[in-house]
Amino acid sequence: MPVIPVMIIAAFVLLALAAGRLSPADPYAQSLRARLAPPVWAADGSWAHPLGTDRLGRDLLSRIIFGARVSLTAGVVTVLLAGLVGAAVGLLAGYYRGRIGSLLMRLTDATLALPVILLALVLAVTAGPSFVNVVIAIGAILWARYARVVYGEVLALMERDFIAQARLTGCSDRRIILVHLLPNTLPSLLVLLSLQIGYVIIVEASLSFLGAGIPPPTPAWGSMIAEGRDYVASAWWVSFFPGLAILLVVLAFNLVGDWLRDELDPKLHHL
Amino acid sequence: MRATTALLLLLLTATEATGAAAPPAGELTVALSSFANEVLDPALGGHGVKFYLALMFDYLIGVTPDGRLSPELGIATAWEVSPDHRRWTFTLRRDVHFHNGDPLTSADVRFSILRAIGPRSTTGYAGVLRALLDRIETPAPDRVVIVTREPTLVIPPYLSRALATEGMILPKRYIESVGDDEFARKPIGSGPYRFVEQVTGSHVRLAAVPHHWRIGTPRYQTVTFRVIPEESTRMAMVRRGEVDIADVSRDRVREMEQAGFPVRYRDNDSLLHLWWILPWDRTPVRDRRVREALNLAIDRREIAATIFGGKAEPAAIPFGLTWAFRDVKLTVPDEWRYPFDPARARALLAEAGYRDGFPITIFAYQLPALPEGREMAEALAGYWQKIGVRPTLVPVDYPAFRKQWVDRTAPGAVGYYNLPNRDWIGTYTLLDKFAHTPSRPTDTVADPEIDRMLDAILTTTDRTKINELMRQAFARLRRDHDGIPLVYLHTPYVTSKRISRWDPGSVMLDLNIDGLVAER
Amino acid sequence: MLRFVLARLSQSAITLLLFSVVIFGLARATGDPLTLVLPMVATEEDFANARRYLGLDRPLYAQYVTFVGRAATGDFGTSIRSRRPVVELLRERLPNSLALAAFSMAVSLLIAFPLGVLAAVRRGTALDSGAKVLATLGQSLPTFWVGIVLIEVVAGRLQWLPAGGSGSLAHYILPGFTLGWFVVAGLMRLLRSAMLEVLDAEYVTTARAKGASEVSVVWRHALRNALIPVVTFAGVYFAILVTSAIVVETVFAWPGMGRLAYEAITGRDFPVIQAVVLVTAAIVVTVNFAVDLLYAVIDPRIGLAS
C-alpha cells in the first residue's frame, strides 16, 4: 500500500473537515493595504500571514485550508455523481442490451467523443459559473467513461454461469442487477473513481483559468492559481502554494488509484 | 530626355544629401491582449479594431493625437455648415489614391458613408447617422455635401477619427467589382500601410506604401499586430525583443520599468463607472441616501493605489468624462469628491431605514483594457460588507450581464464598464444611452428632470447654452448619486528599448501608431 | 469486415447528427453574440438591424435546418465575429493544432518510453516508484500554470525560447512540452503494464531459459510486443491532445482549434462553436474508429463484433 500518498490524502481530508478550527484567519477577510504580503520567512514577511496574502490581502494559508474543503468536495462529488450515472447506464445497457442498450451506448460514445473542457466551458458560460454548475458540467461528460467500463464488465459477466443460474431461479431483474452485477463491477468503478478525483480537480482549475470555474470569493485551489498567475514573477507565493496543494493531492490520488488498479483490476491499464 | 533623367538623378542625390527620409525598413510589432472582432472591413468594425484599420484607411476628418479635429490629417481639408446647421460642405484633398491606384473622389466618400449606415454595418454610430442623414450630394470630385433632417453639430466628429469607423473612406470601384465579402478578406484603403495578411487569432500584417500624405515616408516596412492573450506571454515577448509595443497590466508596470523597458500611458483613458439595474423603485437604492452611502463606503484612493497600481485617480461625477469637462468648461468643485467615510455611510443607511443593511448583487466580469475587473468587484464587495450591506458576487462575462441589465431581470444589482473618455458630443451620446429614460432599455437613471435636460440639449445648436445645460446635467447626476463614478484609469503600454519617442495619444481606442511610423 | 466498417460508419454519422442538435442548442443558450459585436453605444435599432442581416431573427428550427443542410456539404456558415466563412477559419487553425499535437505526442513518447521500460524492468523497486511519480507529476498540475512558469522562466528570464505565437520549430518547444507532459503518465502506465504482461509471457521465459541476455530479452522480445497497445492507444492520445489543447493554446497564443473554440464560446459565435465542436468530435470518432480497426488487424483475438 502506498503509505505516503494515503497519508497525504488523509491529512488534506482532515484539513477540510476541521478547516474552521485549523485556519488561522478568516479566508474571506480582505485588506487591500496588506495585499501581496510575502510568506513569513521572506525578509518582510510576518507571522500574521504565514504563507503571505493574495491580491486582495486575504490570508493564503487560511484560503488553502478552506480550499481543501472546496476542491476535495468538488472532486469527490463530481466523480460520485458521474460514477452513479455512468454505472446505471452501463448496467442497464449491458443487462437489457437490445434497442435500449444500443441507444444508451450510442449516447455514451457520443459523449466520449466530446472535448471535456470545451463542453464544460459551454455549459458553464450558459448556466453561469457556480460550484454546482461546475460539478454538473464536468460530471455531465465524465459519466460516459464509467458507463463504458461497467458496460464491458457486465457483458462479460452476463456470459458467466451464476447469472444464468440467478435467472433460472427466478430472480427479478432488479435483484440481478443490484445483487449480482453491481458488486462485481465495483473494483473497476473504484479504480476509476480514485483516478478521476485528481482529474476533476485539474479540469476545475483549467476552467478557472478560462473564467468558468468555481467563482470568487470562494477559495478553490484552481481559481486561486488562476488568480495568482499574473504574479508568478512578482509574488510567486500567490499561485505557488495552492499549486503545491493541488500537486500533492492529485499526485496522491493518482498513485493510490494506480495501486488500486494493480491490486484489483490489472486489465484496466489503459484508463 | 537624357537631360531630364540627369536632372532627376541630380535632384534625387541632392535630396538624399540633405537628409531626406530613408526608405521604409524593418518591422514594428504590436502585441495586444485582444483584437475585438478581428475584422478588416470598417463597416463591421465598431471601435474595437481602429488601431490597425486606421493605418490602412484615411478618415474623412482627421484628428490630432489628443483628439481635436484637424483639416491637415484627414481627406477633408475644409468644411463649413449652413446657418440652419443642416448642410455640411466638405472640400476634399486632391491626389489621394487607393492602394490599387484608383483616385479617391467624392463618389468614394458618399459610397463609404452610405455603406457605413447600410444594413451590413455593425459600427457604433450608424444608428444615429441613419436617423439624421437626409442625402449626400457630390457636386464635384473634390466636394461633398451632407444634408441632414435636423439641425446638428455632430456630423464632423461622427465622421472623424475621434469616434468609430464611420468616417473611413473606402474604394467604391473596388468594392463594387469584387463584392463585400472579398473586400472584407482583402481590403484596400488609401492609408500609409496596405493589407498583407491576416491569420485570425494570431496576427494582422501590413506593409508600407512608398510615401503617404499623412505621415511622409513610413519608417517601418512592415507593421504586425499580434494577439497575445496571456499577460506573462506578452511580457516575455517584450523581454526577448519579439515585440515593440504591448499592453501591460497596471500591476506589472513596475517590474517592466525596473527591467529597463519604457512604459507610456494614455492618461484618463476611461472612467470606471458602476450603475444599478433599473427599475429601482422596489429596491433600497431608490433612496438617494442609500446611493450616497454606497458611494461613501468605498476608499477610492486605496483602490487606485492598490488594485490599479497607482495608475488611476478617484472620480467624482457619474458619467463625468474629462474631455467633456474641458469642452463644456466645467471645473469639478472639491466638495463633489467623495470622501471615504464608512461612519457617515452607516448613519445614512440607518436614516434610510436600513440599519441592518440589505442584500445587493454585484456582477463581476473582466472587460477589454480592464483586467482588474473581477478583483475590483471583489474589493467593492469587501467595502460594502464593512458598512453592513450584504453583497453577493455573481461572476459572469459581460454579455451575460448585459442581458440582465437590458432585460431588467435583476433590479438594484450593480454592473460596470470602463467608459472610454470622449468629448462632449460623445458624452452626450453616452448620456442618451445611460440616462435618458424614453425608449432606452439601457437607461440607468430614473430621473425625468435629466430626461428634459437631455432633450433640450438635442435641439440646441448654441454652444454656450449647450455648455450650460451639460454642466447642469452633471451637477444633478452628482447631487442624486446616479451611479458610482469610481476611478479614472490611465492605461499603460510597455515598449521595446528601441522605441524612443511615442505618444500613444488620447483618441478613443486608437494608439496613434501614426506617430511611430511617421517620417521624422 | 465490410459489414463492420459500414455499421461503424453509420453509427458515427448518427453520433455526429446527435451532436449537431446538442451543440446547436447549447451554443444558442450561451447568449447574444451581438452584445460583443456592436459597441457600447449601439441602439436597439442597431441590434435589430444586425440580427436581421445575420439571419438570427429567423425561427430556431429554420436556422437549424440551414445549419445541418450546409454542414453536410462542408459549409459551416459565416462567423458572426469575424464575418469570414467558418471553413476558412478552420483551414487556418486545424493544421496548427495537428502539428502541435504531433509534436506533443513525440515529446510525450520520448519521456514515457524510458520511464515505462525502466519501471517494468525494475518492477517494485524505488526506480519503479520514482518513474511513476515523475510521470504522474505532469498529470497533477494544471497545464496553464506549468505553461506560465515555463514562459516566465525559460522565455522571460533566460530568454532561451520564444514565449508565444507560431512560426519556427523553436515555437513548438514550450507548448509542446507543456501539453506532452500532461499525457506522459497515461502512456507510461500503458507501456509499463504491457511490458509486465509480456515479460511474464511464455516465449520470454523461454528466451531467458535459452540463456538470452536480459538486455536482449527486454529490447528484442518484450518491447517489440509491448508496443502494440502503445501504438494503438497513441491514436487515442493524439485525439485527446488535439481536443484538450484549449488552455495551452491560450497561454502560448497558439493559433489552433482550441483557441478558436475559446474565442467562439466567449464571443457567442454560434457558427464557429458548432463547427469546432463537430470537427473535433469527428476527429475523435475517426481516430477511435481507426484504432478499433487497427487493433482488430494487429490482434485477431479481439473480435470485430465487440
Side-chain angles (χ1 to χ4, degrees), chain B residues 36-37 39 44 122 124 127 130 185 198 200-201 226 229 232-233 239-240 252 397-399 402 433-434, chain C residues 35-36 39-40 42 46-47 49 81 83-84 88-89 92-93 151-152 156-157 159 161 165 251 259 268:
Chain B
N37 15 336
V39 294
L44 306 179
T122 45
R130 211 175 279 143
R185 212 171 294 158
Q198 176 194 37
T200 57
R226 302 180 63 174
S232 302
T233 316
R239 283 171 180 273
R240 271 176 52 85
R252 281 192 89 149
D397 58 359
Y398 176 68
R402 191 186 186 280
K433 181 190 174 78
F434 275 94
Chain C
T35 323
L36 292 159
M40 189 69 181
D46 291 331
F47 274 89
N49 170 48
R81 268 178 87 237
R83 296 279 191 96
R84 290 175 57 197
E88 254 183 51
L89 300 177
E92 264 171 24
R93 307 292 190 99
I151 285 170
E152 292 285 356
R157 298 292 140 138
Q159 311 202 352
L161 290 167
V251 171
R259 174 108 201 100
R268 275 44 168 188

Side-chain angles (χ1 to χ4, degrees), chain A residues 27-266:
Chain A
Y28 295 96
Q30 301 178 1
S31 166
L32 283 182
R33 294 200 191 277
R35 79 198 287 263
L36 303 180
V40 61
W41 57 85
D44 41 357
S46 91
W47 276 108
H49 304 292
L51 296 185
T53 60
D54 70 0
R55 57 183 192 166
L56 290 169
R58 296 173 297 204
D59 185 54
L60 264 184
L61 179 60
S62 308
R63 286 183 73 74
I64 287 172
I65 292 174
F66 272 90
R69 187 177 276 184
V70 178
S71 292
L72 288 180
T73 311
V76 172
V77 171
T78 310
V79 293
L80 283 183
L81 201 73
L84 212 65
V85 175
V89 170
L91 284 168
L92 290 177
Y95 186 74
Y96 290 107
R97 283 189 255 188
R99 200 170 287 171
I100 302 176
S102 86
L103 187 76
L104 284 176
M105 289 325 285
R106 277 295 68 69
L107 201 68
T108 306
D109 285 346
T111 312
L112 277 175
L114 279 175
V116 179
I117 296 202
L118 209 66
L119 206 69
L121 187 63
V122 174
L123 289 174
V125 166
T126 307
S130 73
F131 182 88
V132 174
N133 290 346
V134 167
V135 165
I136 291 177
I138 303 177
I141 303 170
L142 282 194
W143 67 268
R145 287 195 158 202
Y146 298 87
R148 255 266 152 248
V149 168
V150 170
Y151 177 72
E153 300 257 321
V154 171
L155 281 190
L157 287 169
M158 293 295 282
E159 305 295 319
R160 304 262 297 270
D161 291 345
F162 72 100
I163 300 290
Q165 268 170 19
R167 276 194 165 161
L168 280 177
T169 53
C171 280
S172 68
D173 287 357
R174 213 174 82 179
R175 194 175 152 78
I176 295 178
I177 292 178
L178 291 180
V179 176
H180 297 285
L181 292 177
L182 181 62
N184 282 296
T185 60
L186 277 183
S188 314
L189 267 177
L190 201 63
V191 170
L192 205 51
L193 284 174
S194 62
L195 279 175
Q196 293 217 310
I197 291 178
Y199 182 65
V200 170
I201 296 178
I202 295 289
V203 170
E204 191 279 317
S206 301
L207 285 178
S208 285
F209 168 76
L210 298 171
I214 296 171
T218 312
W221 292 339
S223 50
M224 290 169 73
I225 307 181
E227 284 169 19
R229 70 179 193 270
D230 286 340
Y231 308 100
V232 165
S234 55
W236 55 269
W237 55 91
V238 181
S239 62
F240 178 81
F241 291 116
L244 191 65
I246 282 201
L247 175 72
L248 288 175
V249 166
V250 177
L251 192 62
F253 270 113
N254 280 335
L255 292 174
V256 169
D258 249 2
W259 171 79
L260 270 178
R261 176 180 40 216
D262 285 352
E263 293 293 308
L264 297 175
D265 195 355

